[in-house]
Amino acid sequence: MVSAVALDARRAREVLAQVVDPEIPTLTIEELGILRDVAVEEGRVTVDITPTYSGCPAMDLIRRQVRDALVAAGFVDVEVRTVYAPAWTTDDISDEGRRKLAAVGIAPPRRLDEVTVPILCPRCATDRVRTVAEFGSTACKALMVCERCGEPFDRFKEL
Amino acid sequence: MTTRDRITSRAPQGSVPVFDGDPLFLYLVRHADDNLILAQRLSQWVSWAPELEEDIALANLALDFLGVARALYTYAGEVEGRGRTEDDLAMLRTEREFTNVLLVEQPNGDFAHTMARQLFFDAYQLGLWEALSSSADATLGGIAAKALKEARYHFRHSSTWVIRLGDGTEESHRRMQAGIDALWRFVGELFVGDDVEAAMVEAGVGVDPSTLQEAWEERVSDVVSQATLSVPDDPFQRMGGRVGFHSEHLGHLLAEMQWMQRAYPGMEW
């Protein structure tokens, strides 16, 4: 028999799978890897999220979006907790997340065990790229420019 | 450079500790204070940095430090158990209650001064967070492990600038050297422990700051020599931040940072 509690946890996960990151809305918080845990106990949903960067200014908004999404789906008692361990790393971004980043013109982070592979321009795939600034439109990205097609682009920094 | 021979730091003579209570609370708050005050200083650069990319970089660094401060204050409030929030601790304590090191409250000066301050502090935090990553306190360990990842690129950023300016033009070299000379007197305080730290070391929670000094010297001297700069011979070091004796600059910083909560208590926006 599938218990009501188990159904609720599955439902909560389905709802949370739709919540997107406010700064990179092409990714869901699950694909970004910041959704750490979802637990349902006696009707109370507890969601653990972790910041990409300590100072991530989007955390308050993400917390609210998580709560709003669950409340809209009928969950009444929702707690959203911020956890720091284990620390988020760009390796937590899913393969689907990486594919989506590249599709919108953001060079995805390299895996931490292969940071020597060249960074490729997300538009023309050349490795003739250079860093313009270590900090781009958000803390987690660096600003690059492609020397072949001339397009500037963001690169997700490995962390 | 052998700073250990030169740096002999003392607490201000005749000072009476004004802080008692749970050493874990005091330990969390002093590190939170370091991060908050530096975040406030760096955010004062916004719209004033030498180039747009650096303006964004400094704001991002400020956000990192602010984020660490928030996590530490929040946890400190829980440890204290008197219902104080991160905002209460940041906005409603007086100058004498802040226990940040003097280095972080020093004015920004020119960009070279800011980069000298940043190099010294980033090199310190690299060692600090690495040590605290294995703290017996899981929450502090988690915050430290997170902050360590960020300290690595903070240090990369500040050392890149110090080398670029030191090994740059005559003017940039002169200014970078002036920044290092002006702030050198505040580095000794980073490595002096007190009863709070001793208690935290005893509990396996904290790190004895004197054990961080050797690696710090190696990091800093490597950058300083690459930058064709030198550290001053003057052994004089100023102390007092950890017991609430600050330079005149902190009060002005707090007045600006806290005035809205002071004028409109409990205000949210």
Side-chain angles (χ1 to χ4, degrees), chain A residues 106-157:
Chain A
I106 299 171
R110 296 162 293 182
R111 298 279 180 188
L112 290 181
D113 57 7
E114 53 182 44
V115 288
T116 49
V117 305
I119 298 157
L120 303 179
C121 168
R123 293 185 189 277
C124 70
T126 179
D127 62 359
R128 284 170 48 209
V129 300
R130 68 180 163 86
T131 304
V132 176
E134 275 286 325
F135 296 88
S137 58
T138 62
C140 53
K141 287 177 277 169
L143 184 59
M144 311 285 294
V145 68
C146 175
E147 297 191 327
R148 187 164 80 187
C149 70
E151 281 289 329
F153 64 93
D154 267 341
R155 168 173 91 77
F156 220 112
K157 287 181 286 195

Side-chain angles (χ1 to χ4, degrees), chain A residues 50-57 60 63 84-85 87-90 112 132-140 143 157 159, chain B residues 51 53 56-58 60-61 63-68 70-71 138-139 141-143 145-147 149-150 153-154 156-157:
Chain A
T50 195
T52 52
Y53 283 67
S54 297
C56 176
D60 290 329
R63 207 173 290 123
Y84 290 93
W88 180 84
T89 139
T90 40
L112 290 181
V132 176
E134 275 286 325
F135 296 88
S137 58
T138 62
C140 53
L143 184 59
K157 287 181 286 195
L159 186 75
Chain B
E51 58 185 30
E53 288 79 6
I56 294 166
L58 291 171
N60 274 308
L61 298 180
L63 264 179
D64 282 347
F65 291 114
L66 182 64
V68 172
R70 291 184 62 181
T139 305
I143 295 169
K146 181 95 209 142
K149 287 166 169 276
E150 292 156 15
Y153 66 75
H154 295 169
R156 197 165 65 229
H157 171 261

Side-chain angles (χ1 to χ4, degrees), chain B residues 40-62:
Chain B
Q40 179 72 8
R41 274 286 178 240
L42 288 173
S43 65
Q44 291 171 339
W45 269 107
V46 171
S47 85
W48 289 90
E51 58 185 30
L52 179 61
E53 288 79 6
E54 191 53 29
D55 211 84
I56 294 166
L58 291 171
N60 274 308
L61 298 180

